[in-house]
Coordinates of all heavy atoms in Angstrom, one line a residue:
M1224 N 199.6 131.2 107.3 CA 199.9 132.5 107.9 C 199.9 132.3 109.4 O 199.0 131.8 110.0 CB 198.9 133.5 107.5 CG 199.2 134.9 108.0 SD 198.2 136.1 107.1 CE 197.0 136.5 108.4
D1225 N 201.1 132.7 110.0 CA 201.2 132.6 111.4 C 200.6 133.8 112.1 O 200.9 135.0 111.8 CB 202.7 132.5 111.8 CG 203.3 131.2 111.5 OD1 202.5 130.2 111.4 OD2 204.5 131.1 111.4
E1226 N 199.7 133.5 113.0 CA 199.2 134.6 113.9 C 200.2 134.9 115.0 O 200.8 134.0 115.5 CB 197.8 134.1 114.5 CG 196.7 133.9 113.5 CD 196.3 135.3 112.9 OE1 196.3 136.3 113.6 OE2 196.0 135.3 111.7
P1227 N 200.2 136.2 115.4 CA 201.1 136.5 116.5 C 200.6 135.8 117.8 O 199.4 135.6 118.0 CB 201.0 138.0 116.7 CG 199.9 138.4 115.9 CD 199.6 137.3 114.9
R1228 N 201.5 135.3 118.6 CA 201.1 134.6 119.9 C 201.3 135.6 121.0 O 202.1 136.5 121.0 CB 202.0 133.4 120.1 CG 201.8 132.4 119.0 CD 202.7 131.2 119.1 NE 202.5 130.3 118.0 CZ 202.5 129.0 118.1 NH1 202.7 128.5 119.2 NH2 202.4 128.3 117.0
D1229 N 200.6 135.3 122.1 CA 200.7 136.1 123.3 C 202.1 135.9 123.8 O 202.7 134.8 123.7 CB 199.7 135.6 124.4 CG 198.3 136.0 124.0 OD1 198.1 136.9 123.2 OD2 197.4 135.3 124.5
P1230 N 202.7 137.0 124.4 CA 204.1 136.8 124.9 C 204.0 135.9 126.2 O 202.9 135.8 126.8 CB 204.4 138.2 125.3 CG 203.2 139.0 125.4 CD 202.2 138.3 124.5
P1231 N 205.0 135.2 126.5 CA 205.0 134.4 127.7 C 204.8 135.3 129.0 O 205.2 136.5 129.0 CB 206.4 133.8 127.7 CG 207.2 134.6 126.9 CD 206.3 135.2 125.9
P1232 N 204.2 134.7 130.0 CA 204.0 135.6 131.2 C 205.3 136.0 131.8 O 206.3 135.3 131.7 CB 203.2 134.6 132.1 CG 203.4 133.3 131.6 CD 203.7 133.4 130.1
D1233 N 205.2 137.2 132.4 CA 206.4 137.7 133.1 C 206.7 136.9 134.3 O 205.8 136.8 135.2 CB 206.1 139.2 133.4 CG 207.3 139.9 134.1 OD1 208.4 139.2 134.3 OD2 207.2 141.1 134.4
P1234 N 207.9 136.3 134.4 CA 208.2 135.5 135.6 C 208.4 136.3 136.9 O 208.5 135.7 138.0 CB 209.4 134.7 135.2 CG 210.1 135.6 134.2 CD 209.0 136.4 133.5
T1235 N 208.5 137.6 136.7 CA 208.8 138.4 137.9 C 207.6 138.4 138.8 O 206.4 138.6 138.4 CB 209.1 139.9 137.5 OG1 210.1 139.9 136.5 CG2 209.5 140.7 138.7
P1236 N 207.8 138.1 140.1 CA 206.6 138.1 141.0 C 206.0 139.5 141.1 O 206.6 140.5 141.0 CB 207.2 137.8 142.4 CG 208.6 137.5 142.2 CD 209.0 137.8 140.8
R1237 N 204.6 139.5 141.2 CA 203.9 140.8 141.2 C 204.1 141.4 142.6 O 204.1 140.8 143.6 CB 202.4 140.5 141.0 CG 202.1 140.2 139.6 CD 200.6 140.3 139.4 NE 200.2 139.0 138.9 CZ 198.9 138.6 138.8 NH1 198.0 139.3 139.3 NH2 198.6 137.4 138.4
A1238 N 204.1 142.8 142.6 CA 204.2 143.5 143.8 C 202.8 143.3 144.5 O 201.8 143.2 143.9 CB 204.4 145.0 143.5
P1239 N 202.8 143.3 145.9 CA 201.6 143.2 146.6 C 200.6 144.4 146.3 O 201.1 145.5 146.1 CB 202.0 143.2 148.0 CG 203.4 143.5 148.1 CD 204.0 143.4 146.7
L1240 N 199.4 144.1 146.1 CA 198.4 145.2 145.8 C 198.2 146.1 147.0 O 197.8 147.2 146.9 CB 197.1 144.6 145.4 CG 197.0 143.8 144.1 CD1 195.7 143.2 143.9 CD2 197.4 144.7 143.0
A1241 N 198.4 145.6 148.2 CA 198.1 146.3 149.4 C 199.4 146.9 150.0 O 199.6 146.9 151.3 CB 197.4 145.5 150.4
A1242 N 200.4 147.3 149.2 CA 201.6 147.8 149.8 C 201.3 149.1 150.6 O 200.4 149.9 150.3 CB 202.6 148.2 148.6
G1243 N 202.1 149.3 151.6 CA 202.0 150.5 152.4 C 200.8 150.5 153.3 O 200.1 151.5 153.5
L1244 N 200.4 149.3 153.9 CA 199.2 149.2 154.8 C 199.2 150.3 155.9 O 198.2 150.7 156.3 CB 199.1 147.8 155.4 CG 198.6 146.7 154.5 CD1 198.6 145.4 155.3 CD2 197.2 147.0 154.0
G1245 N 200.4 150.7 156.4 CA 200.5 151.6 157.4 C 200.0 153.0 157.1 O 199.6 153.8 157.9
R1246 N 199.9 153.3 155.8 CA 199.4 154.6 155.4 C 197.9 154.6 155.0 O 197.4 155.6 154.7 CB 200.2 155.1 154.2 CG 201.6 155.5 154.6 CD 202.4 155.9 153.4 NE 202.8 154.6 152.7 CZ 203.3 154.5 151.5 NH1 203.5 155.6 150.9 NH2 203.6 153.4 151.0
L1247 N 197.3 153.5 155.1 CA 195.9 153.4 154.8 C 195.0 153.6 156.1 O 195.5 153.4 157.2 CB 195.5 152.0 154.3 CG 196.2 151.5 153.0 CD1 195.9 150.1 152.7 CD2 195.9 152.5 151.9
S1248 N 193.8 154.1 155.9 CA 192.9 154.2 157.0 C 192.6 152.8 157.5 O 192.8 151.9 156.8 CB 191.6 155.0 156.6 OG 190.8 154.1 155.8
P1249 N 192.0 152.7 158.7 CA 191.7 151.4 159.2 C 190.7 150.7 158.3 O 190.8 149.5 158.1 CB 191.0 151.7 160.6 CG 191.7 153.0 161.0 CD 191.9 153.8 159.8
V1250 N 189.7 151.4 157.7 CA 188.8 150.8 156.8 C 189.5 150.3 155.6 O 189.2 149.2 155.1 CB 187.6 151.8 156.5 CG1 186.7 151.2 155.4 CG2 186.9 152.2 157.7
Q1251 N 190.4 151.1 155.0 CA 191.1 150.7 153.8 C 192.0 149.5 154.1 O 192.1 148.6 153.3 CB 191.9 151.9 153.3 CG 191.1 153.0 152.7 CD 192.0 154.3 152.4 OE1 192.9 154.6 153.2 NE2 191.7 154.9 151.3
A1252 N 192.7 149.6 155.3 CA 193.5 148.4 155.6 C 192.8 147.2 155.8 O 193.2 146.1 155.4 CB 194.3 148.8 156.9
A1253 N 191.6 147.2 156.4 CA 190.8 146.0 156.6 C 190.3 145.5 155.2 O 190.4 144.3 155.0 CB 189.6 146.3 157.4
Y1254 N 189.9 146.4 154.3 CA 189.5 145.9 153.0 C 190.7 145.3 152.2 O 190.6 144.3 151.5 CB 188.9 147.0 152.2 CG 188.2 146.6 150.9 CD1 187.0 145.8 150.9 CD2 188.8 146.8 149.7 CE1 186.5 145.4 149.8 CE2 188.2 146.4 148.5 CZ 187.1 145.7 148.6 OH 186.5 145.2 147.4
A1255 N 191.9 146.0 152.3 CA 193.1 145.5 151.6 C 193.5 144.1 152.2 O 193.9 143.3 151.4 CB 194.2 146.5 151.8
S1256 N 193.3 143.9 153.5 CA 193.7 142.6 154.0 C 192.7 141.6 153.4 O 193.1 140.4 153.1 CB 193.5 142.6 155.5 OG 194.5 143.5 156.1
Y1257 N 191.4 141.9 153.3 CA 190.5 141.0 152.8 C 190.8 140.6 151.3 O 190.9 139.5 150.9 CB 189.1 141.5 152.9 CG 188.1 140.8 152.1 CD1 187.6 139.5 152.5 CD2 187.6 141.3 150.8 CE1 186.7 138.8 151.7 CE2 186.7 140.6 150.1 CZ 186.2 139.4 150.5 OH 185.4 138.7 149.7
T1258 N 191.0 141.7 150.5 CA 191.3 141.4 149.1 C 192.6 140.7 148.9 O 192.7 139.8 148.0 CB 191.2 142.7 148.3 OG1 192.2 143.6 148.8 CG2 189.8 143.3 148.3
Q1259 N 193.6 141.1 149.6 CA 194.9 140.4 149.5 C 194.8 139.0 149.8 O 195.4 138.1 149.1 CB 196.0 141.1 150.3 CG 197.4 140.6 150.0 CD 197.8 140.9 148.5 OE1 197.8 142.1 148.1 NE2 198.1 139.9 147.7
H1260 N 194.1 138.7 150.9 CA 193.9 137.3 151.2 C 193.2 136.5 150.1 O 193.6 135.4 149.7 CB 193.1 137.1 152.5 CG 192.7 135.7 152.8 ND1 193.5 134.8 153.4 CD2 191.5 135.0 152.5 CE1 192.9 133.6 153.4 NE2 191.7 133.8 152.8
A1261 N 192.1 137.1 149.6 CA 191.3 136.4 148.6 C 192.2 136.2 147.3 O 192.0 135.1 146.6 CB 190.1 137.3 148.2
I1262 N 193.1 137.1 147.0 CA 194.0 136.9 145.8 C 195.0 135.7 146.1 O 195.2 134.9 145.2 CB 194.8 138.2 145.5 CG1 193.8 139.2 145.0 CG2 195.9 137.9 144.5 CD1 194.4 140.6 144.9
D1263 N 195.5 135.6 147.3 CA 196.5 134.6 147.6 C 196.0 133.3 148.0 O 196.7 132.3 148.0 CB 197.4 135.2 148.8 CG 198.2 136.4 148.4 OD1 198.4 136.6 147.2 OD2 198.6 137.1 149.3
C1264 N 194.7 133.2 148.4 CA 194.2 132.0 149.0 C 193.6 131.0 147.9 O 192.8 131.4 147.1 CB 193.1 132.3 150.0 SG 192.3 130.9 150.7
D1265 N 194.1 129.8 148.0 CA 193.5 128.7 147.1 C 192.0 128.5 147.3 O 191.3 128.3 146.3 CB 194.3 127.4 147.2 CG 195.7 127.5 146.7 OD1 196.0 128.4 145.9 OD2 196.6 126.7 147.1
D1266 N 191.6 128.4 148.6 CA 190.2 128.2 148.8 C 189.3 129.3 148.3 O 188.2 129.1 147.8 CB 190.0 128.1 150.4 CG 190.5 126.7 150.9 OD1 190.7 125.8 150.0 OD2 190.7 126.6 152.1
C1267 N 189.8 130.6 148.4 CA 189.0 131.7 147.9 C 188.9 131.7 146.4 O 187.9 132.1 145.9 CB 189.6 133.0 148.3 SG 189.4 133.4 150.1
R1268 N 189.8 131.1 145.7 CA 189.8 131.1 144.3 C 188.9 130.0 143.8 O 188.5 129.9 142.6 CB 191.2 131.0 143.7 CG 191.8 132.3 143.6 CD 193.2 132.2 142.9 NE 194.1 132.1 144.0 CZ 195.3 131.5 144.0 NH1 195.7 130.9 142.9 NH2 196.0 131.4 145.1
N1269 N 188.6 129.0 144.6 CA 187.7 127.9 144.3 C 186.3 128.2 144.7 O 186.0 128.3 145.9 CB 188.2 126.6 145.0 CG 187.5 125.4 144.5 OD1 186.4 125.5 144.0 ND2 188.1 124.3 144.7
V1270 N 185.4 128.3 143.7 CA 184.0 128.7 144.1 C 183.3 127.6 144.8 O 182.2 127.9 145.4 CB 183.2 129.1 142.8 CG1 183.8 130.3 142.1 CG2 183.2 127.9 141.8
D1271 N 183.8 126.4 144.8 CA 183.2 125.3 145.5 C 183.6 125.2 147.0 O 183.1 124.3 147.7 CB 183.5 124.0 144.8 CG 182.8 123.9 143.5 OD1 181.8 124.5 143.3 OD2 183.4 123.3 142.6
H1272 N 184.5 126.1 147.4 CA 185.0 126.1 148.8 C 184.5 127.3 149.6 O 184.4 128.4 149.0 CB 186.5 126.0 148.9 CG 187.0 124.6 148.6 ND1 187.3 124.2 147.3 CD2 187.3 123.6 149.4 CE1 187.8 123.0 147.4 NE2 187.7 122.6 148.6
T1273 N 184.4 127.2 150.8 CA 184.2 128.3 151.7 C 185.4 128.6 152.5 O 186.1 127.6 153.0 CB 183.0 128.0 152.7 OG1 181.8 127.7 152.0 CG2 182.8 129.2 153.6
C1274 N 185.8 129.8 152.6 CA 187.0 130.2 153.3 C 186.7 130.9 154.6 O 186.2 132.0 154.6 CB 187.9 131.0 152.5 SG 189.5 131.5 153.3
E1275 N 186.9 130.3 155.7 CA 186.6 130.9 157.0 C 187.4 132.2 157.3 O 186.9 133.1 157.9 CB 186.8 129.9 158.2 CG 185.8 128.8 158.1 CD 186.0 127.8 159.2 OE1 186.7 128.1 160.2 OE2 185.5 126.7 159.1
I1276 N 188.7 132.1 156.8 CA 189.5 133.3 157.0 C 189.0 134.5 156.3 O 188.9 135.6 156.8 CB 191.0 133.0 156.6 CG1 191.6 132.0 157.6 CG2 191.8 134.3 156.7 CD1 192.9 131.4 157.1
A1277 N 188.6 134.3 155.0 CA 188.0 135.4 154.2 C 186.7 135.9 154.8 O 186.5 137.1 154.9 CB 187.8 134.9 152.8
E1278 N 185.9 135.0 155.3 CA 184.6 135.4 156.0 C 184.9 136.3 157.2 O 184.2 137.3 157.4 CB 183.8 134.2 156.3 CG 183.2 133.5 155.1 CD 182.4 132.3 155.4 OE1 182.2 131.9 156.6 OE2 181.9 131.7 154.5
E1279 N 185.9 135.9 158.0 CA 186.3 136.7 159.2 C 186.8 138.0 158.8 O 186.5 139.0 159.4 CB 187.2 135.9 160.1 CG 187.6 136.6 161.3 CD 186.5 136.9 162.3 OE1 185.4 136.2 162.2 OE2 186.6 137.9 163.1
L1280 N 187.7 138.0 157.7 CA 188.3 139.3 157.3 C 187.2 140.2 156.8 O 187.2 141.4 157.0 CB 189.3 139.1 156.2 CG 190.6 138.5 156.7 CD1 191.5 138.0 155.5 CD2 191.4 139.5 157.5
W1281 N 186.2 139.7 156.1 CA 185.0 140.5 155.6 C 184.2 141.0 156.8 O 183.8 142.2 156.8 CB 184.1 139.6 154.7 CG 183.0 140.4 154.1 CD1 181.7 140.3 154.5 CD2 183.1 141.4 153.1 NE1 180.9 141.2 153.8 CE2 181.8 141.9 153.0 CE3 184.1 142.0 152.4 CZ2 181.5 142.9 152.0 CZ3 183.8 143.0 151.5 CH2 182.5 143.5 151.3
R1282 N 184.0 140.2 157.8 CA 183.3 140.6 159.0 C 184.1 141.8 159.7 O 183.5 142.8 160.1 CB 183.0 139.5 160.0 CG 181.9 138.6 159.5 CD 181.5 137.6 160.6 NE 182.5 136.7 161.0 CZ 182.6 135.5 160.4 NH1 181.7 135.1 159.5 NH2 183.6 134.6 160.7
V1283 N 185.4 141.6 159.8 CA 186.2 142.7 160.4 C 186.1 144.0 159.6 O 185.9 145.1 160.1 CB 187.7 142.3 160.5 CG1 188.6 143.4 160.8 CG2 187.8 141.1 161.5
Y1284 N 186.2 143.9 158.2 CA 186.0 145.0 157.4 C 184.7 145.7 157.6 O 184.6 146.9 157.7 CB 186.2 144.6 155.9 CG 185.7 145.6 154.9 CD1 186.3 146.9 154.8 CD2 184.5 145.4 154.2 CE1 185.7 147.8 153.9 CE2 184.0 146.3 153.3 CZ 184.6 147.5 153.2 OH 184.1 148.4 152.3
R1285 N 183.6 144.9 157.7 CA 182.3 145.5 157.9 C 182.2 146.2 159.2 O 181.6 147.3 159.4 CB 181.2 144.4 157.8 CG 181.1 143.8 156.4 CD 180.5 144.8 155.4 NE 179.3 145.5 155.8 CZ 178.1 145.1 155.5 NH1 177.9 144.1 154.7 NH2 177.1 145.8 155.9
R1286 N 182.7 145.5 160.3 CA 182.7 146.1 161.6 C 183.5 147.4 161.7 O 183.0 148.4 162.2 CB 183.3 145.1 162.6 CG 182.5 144.8 163.8 CD 183.0 143.8 164.8 NE 184.3 143.2 164.6 CZ 184.5 141.9 164.2 NH1 183.4 141.1 164.0 NH2 185.7 141.4 164.0
V1287 N 184.7 147.4 161.1 CA 185.5 148.7 161.1 C 184.8 149.8 160.3 O 184.7 150.9 160.7 CB 186.9 148.4 160.5 CG1 187.7 149.7 160.3 CG2 187.7 147.4 161.4
G1288 N 184.2 149.4 159.2 CA 183.5 150.4 158.3 C 182.2 150.9 159.1 O 182.0 152.1 159.0
D1289 N 181.5 150.0 159.7 CA 180.3 150.5 160.4 C 180.7 151.4 161.6 O 180.0 152.4 161.8 CB 179.5 149.3 161.0 CG 178.9 148.5 159.9 OD1 178.8 149.0 158.7 OD2 178.4 147.4 160.1
A1290 N 181.8 151.1 162.3 CA 182.2 151.9 163.4 C 182.7 153.3 162.9 O 182.4 154.3 163.5 CB 183.4 151.2 164.1
A1291 N 183.4 153.3 161.8 CA 183.8 154.6 161.2 C 182.6 155.4 160.8 O 182.5 156.6 161.1 CB 184.8 154.4 160.0
G1292 N 181.7 154.8 160.2 CA 180.5 155.5 159.7 C 179.7 156.0 160.9 O 179.2 157.2 160.9
Q1293 N 179.6 155.2 162.0 CA 178.9 155.7 163.2 C 179.6 156.8 163.8 O 179.0 157.8 164.3 CB 178.8 154.5 164.2 CG 177.9 154.8 165.4 CD 176.5 155.1 164.9 OE1 175.8 154.4 164.2 NE2 176.0 156.3 165.4
A1294 N 181.0 156.8 163.9 CA 181.7 157.9 164.5 C 181.5 159.2 163.7 O 181.3 160.3 164.3 CB 183.2 157.5 164.5
V1295 N 181.5 159.1 162.4 CA 181.2 160.3 161.6 C 179.8 160.8 161.8 O 179.6 162.0 162.0 CB 181.4 160.0 160.1 CG1 181.0 161.2 159.2 CG2 182.9 159.7 159.8
A1296 N 178.9 159.9 161.9 CA 177.5 160.3 162.2 C 177.3 161.0 163.5 O 176.6 162.0 163.7 CB 176.5 159.1 162.0
D1297 N 178.1 160.4 164.5 CA 178.0 161.0 165.9 C 178.5 162.5 165.9 O 177.9 163.3 166.5 CB 178.8 160.2 166.9 CG 178.1 158.8 167.1 OD1 176.9 158.7 166.8 OD2 178.8 158.0 167.7
V1298 N 179.6 162.7 165.2 CA 180.2 164.0 165.1 C 179.3 165.0 164.4 O 179.0 166.1 164.8 CB 181.6 164.0 164.5 CG1 182.1 165.4 164.3 CG2 182.6 163.2 165.4
A1299 N 178.7 164.5 163.3 CA 177.9 165.3 162.4 C 176.6 165.7 163.2 O 176.1 166.8 163.0 CB 177.5 164.6 161.1
R1300 N 176.1 164.8 164.0 CA 174.9 165.1 164.8 C 175.2 166.2 165.8 O 174.3 167.0 166.1 CB 174.5 163.8 165.6 CG 173.1 163.7 165.8 CD 172.7 162.4 166.5 NE 172.9 161.3 165.6 CZ 173.7 160.2 165.9 NH1 174.3 160.1 167.0 NH2 173.9 159.2 165.0
R1301 N 176.4 166.4 166.3 CA 176.7 167.4 167.3 C 176.9 168.8 166.6 O 176.9 169.8 167.3 CB 178.0 167.0 168.1 CG 177.7 165.9 169.1 CD 178.9 165.7 169.9 NE 179.9 165.0 169.2 CZ 181.2 164.9 169.4 NH1 181.7 165.7 170.4 NH2 182.0 164.2 168.7
A1302 N 177.2 168.8 165.3 CA 177.5 170.0 164.6 C 176.3 170.9 164.4 O 175.2 170.4 164.4 CB 178.1 169.7 163.2
Ligands
LIG721 ZN1 190.7 132.3 151.7

């Protein structure tokens, strides 16, 4: 008895996950840049390697997020 086989992978390239970066908030854009890099980068996919670009993108994301959080807290404090 033949079991059904998985269909062959779709050869069409996938659309970028972070399409429309211009419409994202700075925090969202920073995180999208980090995740898109991690998806595309050979070093990021290899658990035995460290990727300096990914580490820098993560630091940027954290910095942008912390700044946004601080800005919201500053405004909330004045209310
Ligand atoms: Zn990488």
Side-chain angles (χ1 to χ4, degrees):
M1224 185 164 106
D1225 284 338
E1226 293 292 326
R1228 297 178 183 219
D1229 290 336
D1233 184 359
T1235 308
R1237 287 191 236 165
L1240 293 176
L1244 282 177
R1246 287 176 285 167
L1247 300 176
S1248 74
V1250 176
Q1251 290 171 321
Y1254 189 73
S1256 295
Y1257 167 75
T1258 57
Q1259 190 63 58
H1260 169 82
I1262 290 168
D1263 294 339
C1264 176
D1265 290 338
D1266 285 344
C1267 286
R1268 277 183 267 152
N1269 186 338
V1270 295
D1271 294 328
H1272 282 89
T1273 300
C1274 179
E1275 292 179 16
I1276 294 171
E1278 290 179 359
E1279 181 62 22
L1280 288 170
W1281 181 253
R1282 283 192 292 271
V1283 168
Y1284 162 67
R1285 294 294 308 264
R1286 230 177 3 251
V1287 171
D1289 289 348
Q1293 188 61 52
V1295 170
D1297 289 347
V1298 172
R1300 209 173 295 122
R1301 287 186 282 157

